[in-house]
Amino acid sequence: EVTNTSQTQQSVPSLLVIILDGRDRRMFRWTAATTKDKLDPGQVTKFSTQLADPPDGARSLAVKFQVQQ
């Protein structure tokens, strides 16, 4: 879930999903989107993604906002 904890409407960026090995090294990554692109204060949106064939050695994952530069 992604929650807007601010007092104003916020845009929801894409999510970066990262597969990590046992030493927290990045093995694979992809982007995911939420079901909404803007959230009002206190509003929540969900996302779902999957990787059918994770790489050997995958031990954990991280989900971060993808910052556009």
Side-chain angles (χ1 to χ4, degrees), residues 41-60:
Q43 193 173 22
V44 176
T45 187
K46 297 184 179 198
F47 73 95
S48 178
T49 188
Q50 63 181 359
L51 180 60
D53 189 20
D56 290 341
R59 296 292 175 260
S60 62

Side-chain angles (χ1 to χ4, degrees), residues 11-30:
S11 295
V12 181
S14 295
L15 302 173
L16 182 61
V17 183
I18 305 165
I19 299 292
L20 304 166
D21 68 9
R23 293 183 179 174
D24 289 335
R25 292 180 297 201
R26 182 171 55 194
M27 299 181 73
F28 189 78
R29 68 180 185 164
W30 71 98

Side-chain angles (χ1 to χ4, degrees), residues 12-17 29-32 63-69:
V12 181
S14 295
L15 302 173
L16 182 61
V17 183
R29 68 180 185 164
W30 71 98
T31 57
V63 179
K64 300 179 179 187
F65 291 118
Q66 185 172 23
V67 179
Q68 302 296 328
Q69 296 181 3

